[in-house]
Amino acid sequence: MTDPAVPVEPMDPRSGVSTRAADAVAGAAVAAITEVTDRRRRLGWLFWLSLGWIVLTILAAIFANVLPLQDPNLQSATLNAGPSTAHFFGTDQLGRDIFSRVIFGSRVSIVVGFGAIAIGLALGGTLGMIAAYYRGTVDTIVNAVSYVLLAFPALVAVIAIVTFWKASLWKITLIIGIASAPLIFRIVRAATLSYATRDFVMAARTLGATSRRVLVKELLPNILPTVVSFSLIGVATVIVLEGSLAFLGLSIPGPTPSWGNMLNQSRTGLNTVPGQSNPWLVIFPAAAMFLFLITLNLVGDRLRQHFDVSEIKL
Amino acid sequence: MAKYLAKRAAAFVVIIFFVSLGTFFLVHLLPGNPALTILGPNANAHNIALIDKQLGLNRPLWTQYFIWLGNVLHGNLGQSFVTRESVVSTIAHAFPIDLELVVISQIIAFAVAVPLALTAVRKPNGRFDRYSTAGTFAMLAMPPFIVAPVLVLLFAVNTHIFPGPASYVPLAQNFWSNIHTMILPALVLALGSIVIYYRLLRNDLISTLQEDFILMARSKGLSDRRILLRHALRPSSISLLASAGINIGSLIAGAFVVEYLLQLPGLGYALVNSINQDDYVTVQGIVLVVAVAVVLINFLVDFLFTIVDPRISRD
Amino acid sequence: MTYPPAASDPQSAVPLLEVTELSTSFRTGRGLLKAVDRVSFRLGRGRTIGVVGESGSGKTVLARTVMGLLAGSNVEKTGSVRFEGQELLGAPNSELRSLWGARMAMIFQDPMTALNPVMRIGRQITESLRLHLDIDRSEARATAVSLLAQVGIPSPEERYGSFPGELSGGMRQRVMIAIALACSPRLLLADEPTTGLDVTVQAQILDLLGSLQYERNMAMVLVTHDLGVVATRTDDIVVMYAGRIVEMAPTSRLFSSMAMPYTEALLASTPRLSNPSHTRLAAIEGRPPDLTALPPGCPFAPRCRYAQDLCRRAAPPLVTAERPDHLYACWYPLGARTGPAPVSHSVSS
């Protein structure tokens, strides 16, 4: 899905059309040019379908209270039931409605995922633009710090913090947001750097535009495609991180449902003694999460292709 | 070459220093009091002060840090308040399991991803390429905590092909049953790596194949297979190696998840247990060891670069 | 069809290389790009032909098509390429592979990118030796070291284990020549072998190629944008523009009575050591035409200082001059023109 940057203009200044177009093992290159340009013009039905699913999930999460759902914490008399008209996705070992819990559970993933990346963007993104624009000492220092922070495995750091600072939705969001800042800093810095020396930026600077104006009006719109496409993939990564924490029982404590803690809870459903396992407890939250993650990745990846953002070497 | 390595080694020492600093202050600046943990319901102001003095917690933080660092450098990570076990021995028991998991999973990942990428680039955008690219893309959305329960459901609960939770057999006790218990968790870990390795290698191979030296190799009359393996693979392995280094972080997360699910007594299992018991000395020790291991692996990967690609140390 | 002049070929009735009406096109997003357009020429054993033209004139594509290196669903080739009587166009890859490196070899333009940066140069030589010659490892090594010595690389034993990045540009080009000549091919296609090198090194490399060629009785197609390079080192010269042959003649004949204004312009833009150091070079005005949208007339007309109405309306055919071995494609050839007098040009021997 990620194609190498194929030069759209096959002319090589030194040897004319020959060098690029002729490179033979990759004879597909020229053929790929047409394909790539076609694909870049249209985002494709899969993109829109995926975007639709993301929007639908978010809307369901927002309006979960209004929707005709059962109380996610109501314990009915039917325990560990399979799907039925009364309970579309069945019930868990406490008799709670899995369908309702899956929908309410999406709230945690969505808030943590988008919230953390927003915090990361505010911190890392701002610093990245400033560092790349002013260069010099500021850049050197922030850059070095980001390398040190990146060396620290995020999950372990988050686990360590959560251990001593009991988890809540907002704390988890904040911690993961801060942990994501160094990586976002690197991406935004690299993207800004590639534009900061271009003519139009130079022109704006020499014409006396204020730095704030150049940053907001000239640079920001140009790096936005990169930032948006990487951010969506970042949201998916954060959701995975929160899911891992929740699975380990270290994220938001019950009874609040989240996809991760539902899967954690399902461990007891994975009983190897026949007749005692409840596969529905695994299947539905897993499927909900899988669909949300794959659509986020797909939309992010398509946007990246569409805006022709190459995977920047960090 | 020597200069390059010296620079990397200096960076390594600096990063390790910051990691130790981070680990220490993370634990000491955050709320939570070990004296409370030790004393439990018996806590009162007098007892707390006593314990604090015993543990040296009444000294300035910096002094505490250097005492701690000195101990760490002597191989002493402290003793758990809860289990009374030395943290080093806890880690020594748990670490080999993580190591084995990671090694097996990476063998599986490379064994799948490399041939897949090599086959896909023979016809870029061809049928095989499209299907395997789409297939690995789907795996991107299957983190261990989703895949592991599903695989356990399929292979352990429903079909009994692999053993279920809590059936760990130490390597020294029975080699084959050990491998048998490790395959399912290693497979879970491998899936995530396959996606990353396949995508990177495929894209790098495609751009390497456009290089002049590939045309040169063709003009020597070499077969496509030989060109791919001998000429294209090695220059395309740089990002693969780099990502293998970065990927270690997510492997650890994955390892923790499968250990927890299948009750394999590795570091992740030990970590979650110590967190649940407020055993902060053990948590600190495990965090430090894991962080140092990650940094060390990245350093080794850097070193491997210079072997794979002689251009790097010259720049 | 005007048939090209036969290069004198004393050894055999079949020329080593016979290219007939060869065309190569690329399917691109902007339409069909005809990079080589109905090119014909012959090359005898041990002889040298120069292919000259600006960037984008199709000379590199021509060399690669002759070799058979261009492949892919987007490439269309027509015409014929016969090597020692064997048709190469449309021949299966396996057949071509047994020729490549063994009986025909290629030298690429940029020694910085044409050598594998992560493979020791020794291995890059022995690779084709062992593939084609069926010799063992130590024998291949000895041959490779002697090849490195032959191409003038000092202390070849040590250099055998070097990576390309550890060598200078000139040395890398020598290594490339050693690789190409490893199996003593009958035909060498040299694509701008000296372009990236400075002038003194250029001369050394060209002299080296010439002497190795003489020793081995090897034929060579020398592709270059620099008429100066081919002036003293070729038997015949083909001048290309927009994928077509616009003039073709034995070397001395071409320089004594060139007919095509484009050839003249190329010559005027060639730097010569004999000129005072600050002589201004007459660059050819304008750019080569867009090959997907050629003008109706002579493709050079928009840039030609002698162009007249006819030139812009109809493309001139490739015709024979007074001598049968001299062909050109121009309505108003130099010398025969009743227009402005052509600039006189002296050729450095």
Side-chain angles (χ1 to χ4, degrees):
Chain A
M1 296 219 173
T2 38
D3 290 281
V6 180
V8 177
E9 176 61 66
M11 290 288 180
D12 179 294
R14 225 173 354 152
S15 57
V17 74
S18 46
T19 331
R20 284 292 161 231
D23 286 345
V25 172
V30 176
I33 291 169
T34 36
E35 259 173 66
V36 167
T37 42
D38 284 354
R39 212 185 304 144
R40 281 180 53 199
R41 247 171 257 129
R42 293 183 308 118
L43 287 161
W45 57 272
L46 203 55
F47 171 86
W48 294 109
L49 195 70
S50 302
L51 192 64
W53 180 258
I54 293 172
V55 171
L56 191 74
T57 311
I58 293 176
L59 286 178
I62 294 173
F63 296 110
N65 288 330
V66 195
L67 293 171
L69 292 171
Q70 297 172 31
D71 180 344
N73 292 326
L74 180 78
Q75 304 184 359
S76 72
T78 40
L79 310 183
N80 280 327
S84 65
T85 44
H87 304 282
F88 296 137
F89 289 179
T91 58
D92 66 7
Q93 59 276 68
L94 297 174
R96 297 176 296 193
D97 182 55
I98 296 180
F99 181 67
S100 162
R101 288 182 74 75
V102 165
I103 289 182
F104 275 92
S106 68
R107 288 178 161 186
V108 172
S109 289
I110 289 167
V111 169
V112 175
F114 286 92
I117 289 298
I119 294 171
L121 280 173
L123 275 174
T126 316
L127 275 175
M129 283 188 75
I130 291 175
Y133 181 75
Y134 291 104
R135 305 303 305 274
T137 326
V138 184
D139 186 33
T140 315
I141 293 170
V142 186
N143 210 7
V145 170
S146 79
Y147 269 117
V148 173
L149 289 177
L150 274 179
F152 210 84
L155 177 95
V156 177
V158 174
I159 285 179
I161 297 172
V162 168
T163 313
F164 301 100
W165 200 35
K166 298 301 172 202
S168 77
L169 187 61
W170 299 111
K171 281 185 203 162
I172 291 277
T173 309
L174 185 69
I175 295 167
I176 298 181
I178 294 172
S180 71
L183 191 61
I184 293 180
F185 166 80
R186 300 219 61 79
I187 292 167
V188 171
R189 180 178 172 274
T192 312
L193 267 183
S194 69
Y195 285 102
T197 50
R198 300 266 181 94
D199 286 347
F200 64 91
V201 177
M202 290 299 176
R205 288 178 86 162
T206 43
L207 285 173
T210 59
S211 292
R212 173 198 283 261
R213 197 186 156 79
V214 174
L215 279 169
V216 175
K217 294 269 177 183
E218 307 287 344
L219 288 172
L220 192 58
N222 279 299
I223 64 165
L224 217 51
T226 312
V227 172
V228 168
S229 45
F230 274 101
S231 293
L232 284 172
I233 296 168
V235 169
T237 314
V238 170
I239 291 176
V240 168
L241 187 59
E242 191 277 332
S244 306
L245 282 177
F247 188 81
L248 296 175
L250 302 176
S251 189
I252 295 97
T256 314
S258 81
W259 290 338
N261 71 23
M262 288 176 78
L263 283 165
N264 176 19
Q265 182 200 347
S266 77
R267 288 182 307 120
T268 48
L270 293 175
N271 203 317
T272 39
V273 181
Q276 285 194 12
S277 74
N278 179 4
W280 310 112
L281 216 50
V282 176
I283 288 166
F284 289 113
M289 193 132 191
F290 171 77
L291 282 175
F292 198 56
L293 288 175
I294 200 170
T295 47
L296 276 173
N297 274 308
L298 202 135
V299 168
D301 197 62
R302 276 290 150 92
L303 281 178
R304 198 170 53 67
Q305 264 175 36
H306 186 70
F307 293 119
D308 211 11
V309 180
S310 61
E311 286 182 70
I312 303 164
K313 302 255 149 87
L314 298 165
Chain B
M1 179 81 168
K3 199 179 157 201
Y4 173 80
L5 286 181
K7 254 168 96 176
R8 296 304 310 168
F12 175 71
V13 171
V14 170
I15 289 176
I16 291 291
F17 173 73
F18 278 105
V19 163
S20 75
L21 212 60
T23 313
F24 179 83
F25 284 98
L26 208 59
V27 173
H28 283 261
L29 289 179
L30 287 165
N33 188 335
L36 277 176
T37 315
I38 294 170
L39 293 166
N42 302 328
N44 59 48
H46 175 73
N47 284 347
I48 289 175
L50 208 71
I51 295 277
D52 277 356
K53 197 170 176 202
Q54 221 178 332
L55 298 174
L57 294 176
N58 54 348
R59 303 210 197 154
L61 215 49
W62 276 104
T63 321
Q64 286 187 49
Y65 169 71
F66 283 110
I67 293 171
W68 175 77
L69 189 65
N71 285 336
V72 168
L73 291 176
H74 284 96
N76 177 8
L77 288 170
Q79 191 187 14
S80 161
F81 302 139
V82 180
T83 60
R84 303 278 161 195
E85 214 181 318
S86 110
V87 175
V88 171
S89 94
T90 305
I91 292 176
H93 280 112
F95 195 65
I97 295 172
D98 295 78
L99 200 66
E100 191 190 345
L101 257 184
V102 167
V103 169
I104 298 178
S105 79
Q106 293 306 285
I107 292 173
I108 297 175
F110 279 105
V112 175
V114 173
L116 213 58
L118 285 171
T119 315
V121 298
R122 295 191 77 142
K123 271 201 167 139
N125 288 325
R127 185 183 295 245
F128 185 88
D129 183 26
R130 286 205 311 274
Y131 286 154
S132 51
T133 303
T136 54
F137 196 83
M139 281 192 219
L140 209 57
M142 293 193 268
F145 63 89
I146 291 182
V147 180
V150 172
L151 288 190
V152 169
L153 197 63
L154 286 177
F155 293 116
V157 177
N158 288 350
T159 57
H160 300 286
I161 293 174
F162 292 113
S167 45
Y168 174 72
V169 180
L171 190 64
Q173 194 182 320
N174 185 328
F175 180 78
W176 287 112
S177 3
N178 171 275
I179 296 292
H180 193 209
T181 47
M182 291 303 241
I183 284 183
L184 190 61
L187 199 65
V188 172
L189 286 192
L191 287 182
S193 307
I194 291 171
V195 190
I196 302 173
Y197 300 161
Y198 166 79
R199 284 164 66 90
L200 273 172
L201 186 59
R202 172 194 175 271
N203 292 349
D204 280 6
L205 275 172
I206 286 178
S207 58
T208 302
L209 287 175
Q210 325 231 357
E211 300 270 357
D212 277 356
F213 65 81
I214 295 297
L215 202 59
M216 174 87 186
R218 285 191 78 214
S219 81
K220 288 181 191 172
L222 302 178
S223 66
D224 288 351
R225 188 189 153 77
R226 199 184 160 88
I227 290 171
L228 263 180
L229 294 179
R230 294 281 171 159
H231 284 268
L233 188 55
R234 204 160 127 179
S236 309
S237 313
I238 296 296
S239 338
L240 190 67
L241 267 180
S243 73
I246 293 166
N247 189 29
I248 292 294
S250 63
L251 275 179
I252 288 168
F256 286 8
V257 165
V258 285
E259 283 170 15
Y260 182 61
L261 178 72
L262 294 174
Q263 294 169 42
L264 294 172
L267 278 180
Y269 192 68
L271 183 68
V272 175
N273 274 343
S274 354
I275 289 173
N276 289 336
Q277 297 170 345
D278 285 329
D279 185 353
Y280 94 105
V281 183
T282 308
V283 172
Q284 189 180 38
I286 294 176
V287 168
L288 183 74
V289 166
V290 171
V292 170
V294 168
V295 177
L296 192 67
I297 285 164
N298 279 313
F299 180 70
L300 287 178
V301 166
D302 269 356
F303 177 69
L304 270 181
F305 279 177
T306 59
I307 296 172
V308 171
D309 192 337
R311 289 171 294 185
I312 287 177
S313 51
R314 270 195 308 273
D315 290 341
Chain C
M1 181 184 106
T2 46
Y3 210 75
S8 62
D9 190 11
Q11 282 147 333
S12 155
V14 184
L16 182 74
L17 178 69
E18 188 170 18
V19 175
T20 317
E21 292 281 300
L22 181 67
S23 297
T24 309
S25 310
F26 297 102
R27 274 188 287 272
T28 74
R30 290 176 301 149
L32 204 63
L33 188 154
K34 210 159 197 184
V36 172
D37 192 0
R38 285 162 290 151
V39 166
S40 304
F41 65 87
R42 284 180 176 188
L43 180 63
R45 286 166 204 281
R47 314 266 305 172
T48 305
I49 194 166
V51 176
V52 193
E54 277 175 292
S55 298
S57 59
K59 53 195 194 305
T60 296
V61 178
L62 173 64
R64 291 183 184 180
T65 314
V66 167
M67 186 90 172
L69 278 174
L70 287 182
S73 52
N74 58 309
V75 186
E76 262 175 35
K77 296 176 282 191
T78 58
S80 150
V81 177
R82 298 185 86 86
F83 176 71
E84 295 183 314
Q86 181 187 358
E87 179 60 54
L88 298 188
L89 214 66
N93 242 327
S94 55
E95 209 169 289
L96 290 172
R97 268 206 293 272
S98 65
L99 293 177
W100 287 342
R103 282 160 64 207
M104 54 199 299
M106 193 158 196
I107 298 179
F108 293 85
Q109 186 169 320
D110 190 350
M112 312 295 267
T113 58
L115 294 176
N116 189 333
V118 299
M119 192 187 270
R120 295 177 196 281
I121 59 171
R123 269 281 298 283
Q124 301 193 43
I125 303 175
T126 54
E127 190 173 48
S128 62
L129 285 172
R130 298 203 57 198
L131 179 71
H132 296 294
L133 299 186
D134 189 33
I135 54 179
D136 66 29
R137 197 178 289 258
S138 61
E139 207 177 330
R141 188 194 160 98
T143 314
V145 171
S146 101
L147 274 163
L148 285 174
Q150 282 176 55
V151 296
I153 289 188
S155 46
E157 279 280 356
E158 285 162 40
R159 284 308 179 196
Y160 181 90
S162 298
F163 287 103
E166 295 162 10
L167 304 178
S168 70
M171 285 297 149
R172 283 187 227 188
Q173 195 56 283
R174 287 171 192 268
V175 170
M176 193 132 79
I177 293 171
I179 293 172
L181 299 191
C183 303
S184 300
R186 305 306 345 138
L187 173 66
L188 179 69
L189 294 144
D191 184 4
E192 301 262 15
T194 59
T195 302
L197 308 173
D198 68 59
V199 185
T200 31
V201 182
Q202 266 193 29
Q204 290 168 8
I205 296 286
L206 288 168
D207 291 343
L208 173 71
L209 269 177
S211 63
L212 289 169
Q213 188 192 1
Y214 180 76
E215 284 166 23
R216 290 153 191 257
N217 190 30
M218 173 181 76
M220 178 158 74
V221 176
L222 183 59
V223 175
T224 176
H225 64 279
D226 185 349
L227 263 180
V229 164
V230 291
T232 55
R233 302 169 205 273
T234 56
D235 301 303
D236 299 283
I237 292 181
V238 165
V239 180
M240 285 187 72
Y241 189 77
R244 305 172 190 178
I245 292 183
V246 291
E247 186 159 14
M248 172 154 72
T251 305
S252 57
R253 171 91 193 147
L254 185 90
F255 281 101
S256 63
S257 58
M258 54 183 61
M260 179 68 193
Y262 177 62
T263 314
E264 183 193 56
L266 263 185
L267 186 64
S269 68
T270 303
R272 259 162 293 174
L273 281 174
S274 55
N275 284 349
S277 60
H278 290 290
T279 312
R280 272 192 75 120
L281 290 175
I284 308 178
E285 298 262 326
R287 295 193 56 197
D290 179 356
L291 294 176
T292 54
L294 280 178
C298 168
F300 186 58
R303 304 166 70 191
C304 181
R305 55 199 286 208
Y306 312 115
Q308 306 196 17
D309 249 10
L310 178 59
C311 302
R312 283 180 269 273
R313 272 187 285 116
L318 193 62
V319 295
T320 313
E322 312 89 77
R323 299 266 304 270
D325 56 0
H326 187 179
L327 284 87
Y328 61 87
C330 184
W331 293 121
Y332 304 103
L334 301 170
R337 180 184 297 105
T338 53
V343 283
S344 61
H345 38 70
S346 56
V347 177
S348 51
S349 72

